[in-house]
């Protein structure tokens, strides 16, 4: 029997004796397979797109009625060719200055809703969400994260982000945050300034889509601080010189991006408006999404686990945490703990940073031999397996599956959610959560005066009944301001003076949740009579003028 060395030599000799055309055929077959087999990132994209567009998560995207006024705003812009500067929806604030600061997103969803209904609105938001997490996964793999570690981390980020899975413009900010962060991070390893030229273009879109453009400016500032630190305390002369070059480039692009943010319909007034809104302590303390996270929820627990993994990765990694990573980690953790709405962006930033470190730490521990023989072999086998899988996965180019999923989804949207005789997509507002039947009844009444409803229902009323019915209030808190919302909360909480506050609204109809405290009290008030009721909503009509 030949020795192992002999067998190896025989195999080498046989392979070297293969005709050149056979070798070429094998290489070509491998390339074809790489283009045919979808990567894990493609699978993640397709699975998330299907889950949000036609699966169990589709209804969740319409869990916030605010998408209603976004849709109608976009359609008004398409119809008039101008971005609104005064409110047109509210019975209270009609004609008052209003900043439609997400107008570009509004045009998108308004146009899609017009041609294909709510199915298309849900689909385009599902597309953005799926692209965000698929891109995050792909970037982790590209930076050396093992396949299994990357899958676990992206799933944690998905579960943590479920707290804010809504068809609203903030999902575009998630995607742009990942893109902006990766450009800045790539520049840290490759100081060719050309890649930074994408940032002003991204910022031009971002400032007209969502107020989250501030995150992009913060990230640029953090990387600029890190570059200054390197230029001053970089150690060797060469490192300080690199830091100085990075400082100049980042300072220049940050200034340009800052100037680009004024390229919006409202100019510098938008910045003033956002500042006043975010520094209004009453609103920040009473709007749920701006409150700190409640860690009793599953999504918040996933975010807490991401934070713990970040600490562990920084502690066990053999490579020191660089200044830029430390600053981004601090920003992400602080922002996520400060307001629940920041958890998705914070989770994405953290997993992008810790993914390569966790995989490197696993490989390092496996190679040091400090574990028991069986434990060492197991960990080494795991590290080797996921490393090989990540390497193979990076070579796969089967993007046809993702493209096919997008085209199929578009086809289904354009055919009223049907694929043949099967109803695949049927996006709608949940009748158990929103006053679907009540508003349908209200639309057919001859007297159509102002309607008072919870702010969380105002967007639905705008979507269904504008311009025939106007809501007294909706969830555009920056439009109404803190003083008005103090009176609003007095009504819905039935606090002393609620009746005077309600009278000031001049509402002819009250549309309230059936089980709310206000509805219970108003059943006993003779000046309001019950006109309609169901399990979700009750409508009161003013009995006397």
């Amino acid at each position: 029997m030949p020795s192992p060395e002999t067998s190896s030599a025989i195999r080498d000799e046989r392979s070297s004796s293969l005709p050149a055309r056979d070798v070429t055929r094998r290489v070509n077959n491998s390339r074809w397979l790489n283009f045919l087999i979808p990567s894990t990132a493609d699978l993640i994209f397709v699975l998330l797109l299907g889950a949000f567009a036609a699966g169990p998560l589709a209804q969740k995207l319409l869990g916030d009625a605010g998408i209603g006024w976004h849709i109608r705003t976009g359609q008004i812009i398409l119809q008039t060719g101008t971005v609104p500067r005064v409110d047109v929806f509210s019975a209270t604030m009609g004609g008052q200055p209003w900043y439609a600061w997400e107008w570009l997103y509004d045009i998108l969803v308004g146009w899609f809703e017009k041609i294909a209904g709510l199915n298309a609105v849900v689909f385009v938001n599902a597309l953005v969400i799926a692209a965000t997490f698929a891109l995050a996964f792909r970037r982790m793999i590209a930076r050396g994260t093992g396949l299994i570690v990357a899958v676990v981390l992206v799933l944690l980020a998905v579960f943590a982000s479920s707290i804010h899975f809504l068809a609203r413009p903030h999902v575009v900010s998630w995607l742009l945050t990942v893109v902006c962060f990766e450009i800045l991070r790539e520049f840290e390893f490759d100081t060719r300034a050309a890649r930074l030229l994408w940032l002003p273009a991204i910022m031009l879109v971002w400032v007209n889509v969502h107020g989250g453009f501030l995150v992009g400016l913060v990230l640029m500032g953090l990387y600029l601080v890190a570059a200054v630190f390197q230029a001053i305390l970089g150690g060797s002369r060469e490192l300080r010189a690199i830091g100085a070059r990075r400082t100049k480039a980042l300072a220049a692009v940050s200034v340009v991006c800052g100037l680009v943010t004024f390229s919006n319909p409202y100019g510098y007034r938008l910045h003033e408006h956002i500042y006043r809104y975010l520094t209004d302590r009453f609103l920040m303390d009473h709007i749920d999404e701006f409150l700190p996270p409640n860690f009793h929820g599953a999504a918040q627990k996933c975010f807490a686990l991401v934070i713990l993994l970040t600490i562990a990765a920084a502690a066990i990694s053999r490579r020191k945490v660089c200044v830029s990573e430390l600053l981004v980690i601090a920003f992400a953790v602080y922002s996520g703990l400060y307001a629940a709405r920041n958890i998705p962006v914070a989770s994405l930033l953290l997993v992008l940073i810790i993914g390569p470190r966790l995989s490197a730490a696993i490989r390092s521990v496996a190679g040091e031999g400090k574990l028991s023989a069986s434990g060492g072999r197991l960990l080494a086998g795991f590290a080797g397996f996921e490393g090989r899988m990540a390497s193979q996965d990076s070579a796969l180019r089967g993007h046809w599956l993702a493209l096919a999923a997008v085209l199929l989804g578009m086809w289904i949207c354009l055919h009223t959610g049907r694929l043949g005789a099967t109803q695949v997509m049927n996006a709608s507002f949940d009748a158990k959560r929103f006053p679907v039947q009540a508003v349908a009844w209200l639309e057919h009444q001859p007297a159509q005066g102002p309607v008072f409803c919870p702010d969380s229902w105002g967007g639905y009323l705008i979507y269904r009944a504008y311009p025939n019915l106007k809501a007294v209030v909706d969830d555009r808190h920056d439009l109404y301001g803190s003083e008005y919302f103090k009176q609003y909360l007095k009504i819905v909480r039935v606090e002393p003076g609620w009746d005077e506050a309600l009278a000031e609204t001049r509402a002819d109809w009250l549309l309230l949740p059936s089980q709310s405290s206000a509805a219970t009290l108003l059943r006993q008030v003779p000046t309001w009579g019950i006109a309609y009721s169901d399990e979700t909503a009750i409508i009161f009509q003013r009995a006397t003028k």
Side-chain angles (χ1 to χ4, degrees), residues 310-334:
T310 302
I311 296 172
I316 65 178
S317 177
R318 298 178 66 89
R319 182 169 61 87
K320 294 175 62 176
V321 179
C322 62
V323 176
S324 60
E325 289 181 334
L326 185 62
L327 292 174
V328 173
I329 289 172
F331 165 70
V333 172
Y334 173 78

Side-chain angles (χ1 to χ4, degrees), residues 53-104:
L57 297 176
Q59 197 78 18
K60 185 175 178 61
L61 288 183
L62 293 178
D64 188 322
I67 186 60
W69 61 261
H70 280 292
I71 291 171
R72 295 300 176 229
T73 301
Q75 292 171 349
I76 288 174
I77 296 173
L78 290 170
Q79 182 179 359
T80 63
T82 59
V83 178
R85 296 179 181 274
V86 296
D87 174 64
V88 296
F89 299 125
S90 171
T92 305
M93 294 293 175
Q96 296 298 313
W98 175 45
Y99 294 84
W101 48 344
E102 295 145 336
W103 66 275
L104 198 57

Side-chain angles (χ1 to χ4, degrees), residues 25-215:
R25 187 182 298 114
R26 288 188 178 184
V27 172
N28 290 336
N29 288 341
S30 177
R31 288 177 179 175
W32 275 110
L33 285 175
N34 288 342
F35 278 98
L36 289 175
I37 301 176
S39 67
T40 307
D42 294 309
L43 295 176
I44 289 173
F45 174 83
V46 172
L47 289 174
L48 289 178
L49 181 61
F52 282 108
L57 297 176
Q59 197 78 18
K60 185 175 178 61
L61 288 183
L62 293 178
D64 188 322
I67 186 60
W69 61 261
H70 280 292
I71 291 171
R72 295 300 176 229
T73 301
Q75 292 171 349
I76 288 174
I77 296 173
L78 290 170
Q79 182 179 359
T80 63
T82 59
V83 178
R85 296 179 181 274
V86 296
D87 174 64
V88 296
F89 299 125
S90 171
T92 305
M93 294 293 175
Q96 296 298 313
W98 175 45
Y99 294 84
W101 48 344
E102 295 145 336
W103 66 275
L104 198 57
Y105 173 87
D106 296 348
I107 289 177
L108 181 68
V109 294
W111 183 76
F112 272 102
E113 196 274 344
K114 188 174 182 179
I115 64 172
L118 286 176
N119 283 334
V121 174
V122 167
F123 180 75
V124 71
N125 282 275
L127 182 64
V128 174
I129 293 173
T132 299
F133 290 100
L135 176 61
F137 176 86
R138 193 166 189 86
R139 294 310 303 164
M140 279 192 282
I141 293 294
R143 295 195 178 279
T145 309
L147 187 68
I148 298 174
V149 171
V151 169
V152 171
L153 289 178
V154 82
L155 287 177
L156 279 176
V158 168
F159 292 145
S161 301
S162 65
I163 193 174
H164 216 37
F165 278 151
L166 299 168
R168 295 290 295 268
H170 64 268
V171 299
V172 182
S173 268
W174 298 357
L175 178 59
L176 296 180
T177 296
V178 173
V179 174
C180 180
F181 174 67
E182 283 300 311
I183 289 174
L184 291 168
R185 198 178 185 194
E186 193 70 25
F187 178 70
E188 193 168 40
F189 296 98
D190 183 354
T191 56
R192 289 176 295 178
R195 66 181 71 255
L196 295 180
L197 296 178
W198 285 101
L199 293 178
I202 292 170
M203 192 58 63
L204 180 60
V205 174
W206 206 343
V207 72
N208 291 290
V209 169
H210 188 246
F213 72 90
L214 296 174
V215 175

